[in-house]
Amino acid sequence: MTGGNPILHEALHAVAGQAQTLTSAGPLSIAFYHWVLAEDFSAEQSAPMARELCEEIAGGGRSIHAVAALGFLLGIDPILSAACRESFAQGVDWLMGRSGGSQTALVSLMQPLAHTGVLVGLVAIADSERWQKFGTWFASLLARLQPLLPAEVGWRQELLSMIKMRSELGLDGELQTVPASACAAIYVARGLARSLPVADNDFASQLLGRIKSVVYDDPEQAALDLAAFRFLAQGASHIDLRAPNLEDVSLLLRRLPSGLRRWTWEDQKKTPNSTAQKWAVENEYHFQNLLCALLAPVLPDLRDEEWLASLGQKKPRADLVIPSLHLVIEVKYWREKSTPQDLISQIGEDVSLYLKRGSPYRKVLPIIWDQGRRTEQYDLLVAGLSEIRDVVSPVVIAQPAFMV
């Protein structure tokens, strides 16, 4: 998913470094790090930690952190010793005996990371009776905590929300969710939920923006975002031909250059009864025809040259539209004499026409055929186009070298 982008590669490396600081913290942070990122955690490392956590839970100094860390370890290795499983169950019983009487005690008790570990552990030991009790107990505490939460939804609130949704279902129930946040993506990636189709890639764009900024107040959020990115990147190499979504369309278009390897461009005829052919792409109409041939077989509702509702005296016409995805595909032929500034201005104007008030379309995906093969301009061009509101996944295709 980095697509050879050196800036993104460096950003991911920096985010991974921030997440890795968790491994030098306490047992809860270490166990969470290995669980959320599916990083190898050998028995030689986990077994001594598990024994220490069991001793802590059995003693007078037990804490929610110890119970949660053991829960994550059980999620990593569900066949930990029976003693570990029993210690975890006892720790959950102790935890559910706490009520968080004061506001301070309630906030201290409702730690999102810790409760995620408890939920993971309960799934691992498959204790349906404790699962049901935990769900009821957690929901009552969350209802009291809700008025105290900040208005801005951050990763902590997202985790609390995911815990509530999953714990409301039976242990054998299946949470179905759209991976539209890092926490939801991690629930899908770790088998705590099943993914529903994604209508657009707003979350992916936001996630990439956060990663590229490399600014995290908490290493836990860095780990969550890194895990979500890996999940999305892994899924980005597969297209669901039965129900393609916006991400699938974007992937298909980005893969177009690989299909041009066998494009017809002949200096001599191939058979006695034919003539040498060169299928030149010389204008926007040629490029649009190529895209129709690529997309129509997998997107039955694809329409071309679609007239949209008038805007005063202006009657806009979209190149390609996919009504089921509320998507306009804006086709551009970038001639050698044209500048990136010209292209950005044209696309910005078109977007405002296509997505006017009352339009059935919500997103515009620009795809550009670059006659001049100006690859050094692509990163800045794509970054600029991505800043236009409701523009998603811009794609630039360099004209193949054999056509020059």
Side-chain angles (χ1 to χ4, degrees), residues 209-234:
R210 288 203 300 266
I211 288 173
K212 287 181 178 179
S213 72
V214 200
V215 178
Y216 287 93
D217 294 329
D218 307 298
E220 294 86 355
Q221 186 182 12
L224 288 166
D225 276 1
L226 185 60
F229 177 87
R230 290 178 179 177
F231 167 73
L232 294 179
Q234 184 180 26

PDB file of all heavy atoms in Angstrom, residues 209-234:
ATOM      1  N   GLY A 209      -3.310  10.414   6.527  1.00  0.00           N
ATOM      2  CA  GLY A 209      -2.974  11.763   6.966  1.00  0.00           C
ATOM      3  C   GLY A 209      -2.319  11.769   8.338  1.00  0.00           C
ATOM      4  O   GLY A 209      -1.321  12.464   8.570  1.00  0.00           O
ATOM      5  N   ARG A 210      -2.868  10.981   9.269  1.00  0.00           N
ATOM      6  CA  ARG A 210      -2.289  10.914  10.623  1.00  0.00           C
ATOM      7  C   ARG A 210      -0.893  10.296  10.581  1.00  0.00           C
ATOM      8  O   ARG A 210       0.025  10.774  11.240  1.00  0.00           O
ATOM      9  CB  ARG A 210      -3.186  10.097  11.549  1.00  0.00           C
ATOM     10  CG  ARG A 210      -4.472  10.777  11.957  1.00  0.00           C
ATOM     11  CD  ARG A 210      -5.019  10.207  13.256  1.00  0.00           C
ATOM     12  NE  ARG A 210      -5.311   8.788  13.172  1.00  0.00           N
ATOM     13  CZ  ARG A 210      -6.508   8.268  12.876  1.00  0.00           C
ATOM     14  NH1 ARG A 210      -7.517   9.084  12.593  1.00  0.00           N
ATOM     15  NH2 ARG A 210      -6.703   6.972  12.850  1.00  0.00           N
ATOM     16  N   ILE A 211      -0.754   9.219   9.810  1.00  0.00           N
ATOM     17  CA  ILE A 211       0.540   8.541   9.739  1.00  0.00           C
ATOM     18  C   ILE A 211       1.596   9.453   9.133  1.00  0.00           C
ATOM     19  O   ILE A 211       2.721   9.539   9.633  1.00  0.00           O
ATOM     20  CB  ILE A 211       0.407   7.235   8.929  1.00  0.00           C
ATOM     21  CG1 ILE A 211      -0.362   6.186   9.756  1.00  0.00           C
ATOM     22  CG2 ILE A 211       1.769   6.688   8.521  1.00  0.00           C
ATOM     23  CD1 ILE A 211      -0.708   4.922   9.006  1.00  0.00           C
ATOM     24  N   LYS A 212       1.230  10.170   8.066  1.00  0.00           N
ATOM     25  CA  LYS A 212       2.203  11.055   7.421  1.00  0.00           C
ATOM     26  C   LYS A 212       2.583  12.234   8.317  1.00  0.00           C
ATOM     27  O   LYS A 212       3.683  12.778   8.201  1.00  0.00           O
ATOM     28  CB  LYS A 212       1.650  11.556   6.092  1.00  0.00           C
ATOM     29  CG  LYS A 212       1.636  10.490   5.000  1.00  0.00           C
ATOM     30  CD  LYS A 212       1.092  11.034   3.694  1.00  0.00           C
ATOM     31  CE  LYS A 212       1.125   9.984   2.601  1.00  0.00           C
ATOM     32  NZ  LYS A 212       0.575  10.494   1.322  1.00  0.00           N
ATOM     33  N   SER A 213       1.675  12.629   9.213  1.00  0.00           N
ATOM     34  CA  SER A 213       2.004  13.735  10.126  1.00  0.00           C
ATOM     35  C   SER A 213       2.975  13.280  11.212  1.00  0.00           C
ATOM     36  O   SER A 213       3.691  14.096  11.798  1.00  0.00           O
ATOM     37  CB  SER A 213       0.730  14.282  10.770  1.00  0.00           C
ATOM     38  OG  SER A 213       0.218  13.372  11.727  1.00  0.00           O
ATOM     39  N   VAL A 214       2.999  11.975  11.493  1.00  0.00           N
ATOM     40  CA  VAL A 214       3.908  11.364  12.476  1.00  0.00           C
ATOM     41  C   VAL A 214       3.844  12.082  13.823  1.00  0.00           C
ATOM     42  O   VAL A 214       4.853  12.245  14.499  1.00  0.00           O
ATOM     43  CB  VAL A 214       5.371  11.332  11.955  1.00  0.00           C
ATOM     44  CG1 VAL A 214       6.183  10.296  12.731  1.00  0.00           C
ATOM     45  CG2 VAL A 214       5.434  11.001  10.487  1.00  0.00           C
ATOM     46  N   VAL A 215       2.663  12.549  14.196  1.00  0.00           N
ATOM     47  CA  VAL A 215       2.500  13.246  15.468  1.00  0.00           C
ATOM     48  C   VAL A 215       1.483  12.482  16.304  1.00  0.00           C
ATOM     49  O   VAL A 215       0.278  12.509  16.013  1.00  0.00           O
ATOM     50  CB  VAL A 215       2.033  14.699  15.264  1.00  0.00           C
ATOM     51  CG1 VAL A 215       1.816  15.374  16.609  1.00  0.00           C
ATOM     52  CG2 VAL A 215       3.052  15.478  14.445  1.00  0.00           C
ATOM     53  N   TYR A 216       1.965  11.790  17.330  1.00  0.00           N
ATOM     54  CA  TYR A 216       1.093  11.021  18.213  1.00  0.00           C
ATOM     55  C   TYR A 216       1.382  11.391  19.655  1.00  0.00           C
ATOM     56  O   TYR A 216       2.543  11.395  20.088  1.00  0.00           O
ATOM     57  CB  TYR A 216       1.321   9.516  18.013  1.00  0.00           C
ATOM     58  CG  TYR A 216       0.751   8.988  16.707  1.00  0.00           C
ATOM     59  CD1 TYR A 216       1.541   8.916  15.571  1.00  0.00           C
ATOM     60  CD2 TYR A 216      -0.572   8.586  16.622  1.00  0.00           C
ATOM     61  CE1 TYR A 216       1.026   8.443  14.374  1.00  0.00           C
ATOM     62  CE2 TYR A 216      -1.103   8.112  15.425  1.00  0.00           C
ATOM     63  CZ  TYR A 216      -0.300   8.039  14.305  1.00  0.00           C
ATOM     64  OH  TYR A 216      -0.813   7.568  13.128  1.00  0.00           O
ATOM     65  N   ASP A 217       0.324  11.694  20.393  1.00  0.00           N
ATOM     66  CA  ASP A 217       0.488  11.984  21.810  1.00  0.00           C
ATOM     67  C   ASP A 217       0.691  10.698  22.605  1.00  0.00           C
ATOM     68  O   ASP A 217       1.306  10.718  23.670  1.00  0.00           O
ATOM     69  CB  ASP A 217      -0.746  12.715  22.349  1.00  0.00           C
ATOM     70  CG  ASP A 217      -0.911  14.095  21.734  1.00  0.00           C
ATOM     71  OD1 ASP A 217       0.125  14.705  21.397  1.00  0.00           O
ATOM     72  OD2 ASP A 217      -2.060  14.546  21.579  1.00  0.00           O
ATOM     73  N   ASP A 218       0.144   9.585  22.084  1.00  0.00           N
ATOM     74  CA  ASP A 218       0.182   8.321  22.808  1.00  0.00           C
ATOM     75  C   ASP A 218       0.752   7.218  21.922  1.00  0.00           C
ATOM     76  O   ASP A 218       0.318   7.057  20.773  1.00  0.00           O
ATOM     77  CB  ASP A 218      -1.231   7.916  23.246  1.00  0.00           C
ATOM     78  CG  ASP A 218      -1.942   9.014  24.013  1.00  0.00           C
ATOM     79  OD1 ASP A 218      -1.435   9.393  25.084  1.00  0.00           O
ATOM     80  OD2 ASP A 218      -2.981   9.499  23.528  1.00  0.00           O
ATOM     81  N   PRO A 219       1.694   6.435  22.430  1.00  0.00           N
ATOM     82  CA  PRO A 219       2.205   5.313  21.645  1.00  0.00           C
ATOM     83  C   PRO A 219       1.125   4.274  21.343  1.00  0.00           C
ATOM     84  O   PRO A 219       1.212   3.559  20.345  1.00  0.00           O
ATOM     85  CB  PRO A 219       3.315   4.730  22.522  1.00  0.00           C
ATOM     86  CG  PRO A 219       3.023   5.216  23.904  1.00  0.00           C
ATOM     87  CD  PRO A 219       2.358   6.544  23.740  1.00  0.00           C
ATOM     88  N   GLU A 220       0.100   4.215  22.210  1.00  0.00           N
ATOM     89  CA  GLU A 220      -1.002   3.274  21.955  1.00  0.00           C
ATOM     90  C   GLU A 220      -1.725   3.623  20.657  1.00  0.00           C
ATOM     91  O   GLU A 220      -2.080   2.728  19.868  1.00  0.00           O
ATOM     92  CB  GLU A 220      -2.005   3.283  23.121  1.00  0.00           C
ATOM     93  CG  GLU A 220      -1.457   2.743  24.432  1.00  0.00           C
ATOM     94  CD  GLU A 220      -0.736   3.805  25.260  1.00  0.00           C
ATOM     95  OE1 GLU A 220      -0.572   4.939  24.770  1.00  0.00           O
ATOM     96  OE2 GLU A 220      -0.347   3.491  26.401  1.00  0.00           O
ATOM     97  N   GLN A 221      -1.947   4.926  20.420  1.00  0.00           N
ATOM     98  CA  GLN A 221      -2.606   5.322  19.177  1.00  0.00           C
ATOM     99  C   GLN A 221      -1.715   5.039  17.978  1.00  0.00           C
ATOM    100  O   GLN A 221      -2.194   4.641  16.919  1.00  0.00           O
ATOM    101  CB  GLN A 221      -2.986   6.802  19.195  1.00  0.00           C
ATOM    102  CG  GLN A 221      -3.818   7.193  17.965  1.00  0.00           C
ATOM    103  CD  GLN A 221      -4.188   8.650  17.916  1.00  0.00           C
ATOM    104  OE1 GLN A 221      -3.650   9.456  18.671  1.00  0.00           O
ATOM    105  NE2 GLN A 221      -5.089   9.007  17.029  1.00  0.00           N
ATOM    106  N   ALA A 222      -0.425   5.231  18.131  1.00  0.00           N
ATOM    107  CA  ALA A 222       0.500   4.908  17.048  1.00  0.00           C
ATOM    108  C   ALA A 222       0.402   3.425  16.699  1.00  0.00           C
ATOM    109  O   ALA A 222       0.378   3.048  15.516  1.00  0.00           O
ATOM    110  CB  ALA A 222       1.932   5.272  17.444  1.00  0.00           C
ATOM    111  N   ALA A 223       0.329   2.569  17.721  1.00  0.00           N
ATOM    112  CA  ALA A 223       0.213   1.125  17.485  1.00  0.00           C
ATOM    113  C   ALA A 223      -1.124   0.785  16.819  1.00  0.00           C
ATOM    114  O   ALA A 223      -1.179  -0.047  15.899  1.00  0.00           O
ATOM    115  CB  ALA A 223       0.354   0.368  18.803  1.00  0.00           C
ATOM    116  N   LEU A 224      -2.197   1.425  17.273  1.00  0.00           N
ATOM    117  CA  LEU A 224      -3.510   1.186  16.674  1.00  0.00           C
ATOM    118  C   LEU A 224      -3.518   1.584  15.199  1.00  0.00           C
ATOM    119  O   LEU A 224      -4.007   0.834  14.343  1.00  0.00           O
ATOM    120  CB  LEU A 224      -4.585   1.969  17.430  1.00  0.00           C
ATOM    121  CG  LEU A 224      -4.967   1.468  18.826  1.00  0.00           C
ATOM    122  CD1 LEU A 224      -5.781   2.522  19.575  1.00  0.00           C
ATOM    123  CD2 LEU A 224      -5.763   0.161  18.733  1.00  0.00           C
ATOM    124  N   ASP A 225      -2.983   2.756  14.895  1.00  0.00           N
ATOM    125  CA  ASP A 225      -2.971   3.220  13.504  1.00  0.00           C
ATOM    126  C   ASP A 225      -2.084   2.341  12.634  1.00  0.00           C
ATOM    127  O   ASP A 225      -2.412   2.038  11.484  1.00  0.00           O
ATOM    128  CB  ASP A 225      -2.491   4.670  13.431  1.00  0.00           C
ATOM    129  CG  ASP A 225      -3.617   5.671  13.697  1.00  0.00           C
ATOM    130  OD1 ASP A 225      -4.756   5.221  13.945  1.00  0.00           O
ATOM    131  OD2 ASP A 225      -3.371   6.880  13.652  1.00  0.00           O
ATOM    132  N   LEU A 226      -0.940   1.931  13.169  1.00  0.00           N
ATOM    133  CA  LEU A 226      -0.041   1.073  12.405  1.00  0.00           C
ATOM    134  C   LEU A 226      -0.706  -0.274  12.111  1.00  0.00           C
ATOM    135  O   LEU A 226      -0.620  -0.791  10.987  1.00  0.00           O
ATOM    136  CB  LEU A 226       1.255   0.864  13.175  1.00  0.00           C
ATOM    137  CG  LEU A 226       2.360   0.085  12.464  1.00  0.00           C
ATOM    138  CD1 LEU A 226       2.773   0.780  11.174  1.00  0.00           C
ATOM    139  CD2 LEU A 226       3.566  -0.092  13.392  1.00  0.00           C
ATOM    140  N   ALA A 227      -1.387  -0.835  13.108  1.00  0.00           N
ATOM    141  CA  ALA A 227      -2.084  -2.109  12.907  1.00  0.00           C
ATOM    142  C   ALA A 227      -3.221  -1.960  11.896  1.00  0.00           C
ATOM    143  O   ALA A 227      -3.432  -2.837  11.048  1.00  0.00           O
ATOM    144  CB  ALA A 227      -2.625  -2.627  14.240  1.00  0.00           C
ATOM    145  N   ALA A 228      -3.953  -0.845  11.985  1.00  0.00           N
ATOM    146  CA  ALA A 228      -5.044  -0.606  11.031  1.00  0.00           C
ATOM    147  C   ALA A 228      -4.501  -0.454   9.618  1.00  0.00           C
ATOM    148  O   ALA A 228      -5.082  -0.966   8.658  1.00  0.00           O
ATOM    149  CB  ALA A 228      -5.825   0.640  11.442  1.00  0.00           C
ATOM    150  N   PHE A 229      -3.375   0.261   9.483  1.00  0.00           N
ATOM    151  CA  PHE A 229      -2.764   0.424   8.157  1.00  0.00           C
ATOM    152  C   PHE A 229      -2.374  -0.934   7.579  1.00  0.00           C
ATOM    153  O   PHE A 229      -2.615  -1.212   6.399  1.00  0.00           O
ATOM    154  CB  PHE A 229      -1.535   1.327   8.247  1.00  0.00           C
ATOM    155  CG  PHE A 229      -0.809   1.471   6.938  1.00  0.00           C
ATOM    156  CD1 PHE A 229      -1.187   2.455   6.031  1.00  0.00           C
ATOM    157  CD2 PHE A 229       0.219   0.610   6.591  1.00  0.00           C
ATOM    158  CE1 PHE A 229      -0.541   2.579   4.808  1.00  0.00           C
ATOM    159  CE2 PHE A 229       0.876   0.728   5.377  1.00  0.00           C
ATOM    160  CZ  PHE A 229       0.493   1.713   4.478  1.00  0.00           C
ATOM    161  N   ARG A 230      -1.751  -1.768   8.379  1.00  0.00           N
ATOM    162  CA  ARG A 230      -1.341  -3.089   7.897  1.00  0.00           C
ATOM    163  C   ARG A 230      -2.547  -3.916   7.473  1.00  0.00           C
ATOM    164  O   ARG A 230      -2.495  -4.635   6.466  1.00  0.00           O
ATOM    165  CB  ARG A 230      -0.557  -3.821   8.986  1.00  0.00           C
ATOM    166  CG  ARG A 230       0.814  -3.227   9.253  1.00  0.00           C
ATOM    167  CD  ARG A 230       1.523  -3.960  10.388  1.00  0.00           C
ATOM    168  NE  ARG A 230       2.845  -3.397  10.636  1.00  0.00           N
ATOM    169  CZ  ARG A 230       3.656  -3.816  11.619  1.00  0.00           C
ATOM    170  NH1 ARG A 230       3.263  -4.795  12.436  1.00  0.00           N
ATOM    171  NH2 ARG A 230       4.843  -3.262  11.785  1.00  0.00           N
ATOM    172  N   PHE A 231      -3.625  -3.807   8.226  1.00  0.00           N
ATOM    173  CA  PHE A 231      -4.847  -4.537   7.865  1.00  0.00           C
ATOM    174  C   PHE A 231      -5.396  -4.048   6.529  1.00  0.00           C
ATOM    175  O   PHE A 231      -5.724  -4.849   5.652  1.00  0.00           O
ATOM    176  CB  PHE A 231      -5.896  -4.367   8.963  1.00  0.00           C
ATOM    177  CG  PHE A 231      -7.279  -4.812   8.556  1.00  0.00           C
ATOM    178  CD1 PHE A 231      -7.581  -6.156   8.436  1.00  0.00           C
ATOM    179  CD2 PHE A 231      -8.269  -3.874   8.280  1.00  0.00           C
ATOM    180  CE1 PHE A 231      -8.851  -6.565   8.043  1.00  0.00           C
ATOM    181  CE2 PHE A 231      -9.535  -4.270   7.892  1.00  0.00           C
ATOM    182  CZ  PHE A 231      -9.826  -5.629   7.770  1.00  0.00           C
ATOM    183  N   LEU A 232      -5.479  -2.729   6.364  1.00  0.00           N
ATOM    184  CA  LEU A 232      -5.992  -2.181   5.115  1.00  0.00           C
ATOM    185  C   LEU A 232      -5.068  -2.504   3.945  1.00  0.00           C
ATOM    186  O   LEU A 232      -5.526  -2.799   2.838  1.00  0.00           O
ATOM    187  CB  LEU A 232      -6.174  -0.667   5.233  1.00  0.00           C
ATOM    188  CG  LEU A 232      -7.237  -0.186   6.217  1.00  0.00           C
ATOM    189  CD1 LEU A 232      -7.274   1.341   6.242  1.00  0.00           C
ATOM    190  CD2 LEU A 232      -8.613  -0.731   5.871  1.00  0.00           C
ATOM    191  N   ALA A 233      -3.758  -2.437   4.190  1.00  0.00           N
ATOM    192  CA  ALA A 233      -2.797  -2.731   3.125  1.00  0.00           C
ATOM    193  C   ALA A 233      -2.901  -4.185   2.688  1.00  0.00           C
ATOM    194  O   ALA A 233      -2.796  -4.499   1.501  1.00  0.00           O
ATOM    195  CB  ALA A 233      -1.384  -2.424   3.599  1.00  0.00           C
ATOM    196  N   GLN A 234      -3.117  -5.072   3.642  1.00  0.00           N
ATOM    197  CA  GLN A 234      -3.255  -6.487   3.314  1.00  0.00           C
ATOM    198  C   GLN A 234      -4.503  -6.721   2.479  1.00  0.00           C
ATOM    199  O   GLN A 234      -4.485  -7.458   1.490  1.00  0.00           O
ATOM    200  CB  GLN A 234      -3.323  -7.313   4.599  1.00  0.00           C
ATOM    201  CG  GLN A 234      -3.372  -8.815   4.355  1.00  0.00           C
ATOM    202  CD  GLN A 234      -3.432  -9.596   5.665  1.00  0.00           C
ATOM    203  OE1 GLN A 234      -3.904  -9.084   6.684  1.00  0.00           O
ATOM    204  NE2 GLN A 234      -2.945 -10.814   5.654  1.00  0.00           N
TER     205      GLN A 234
END
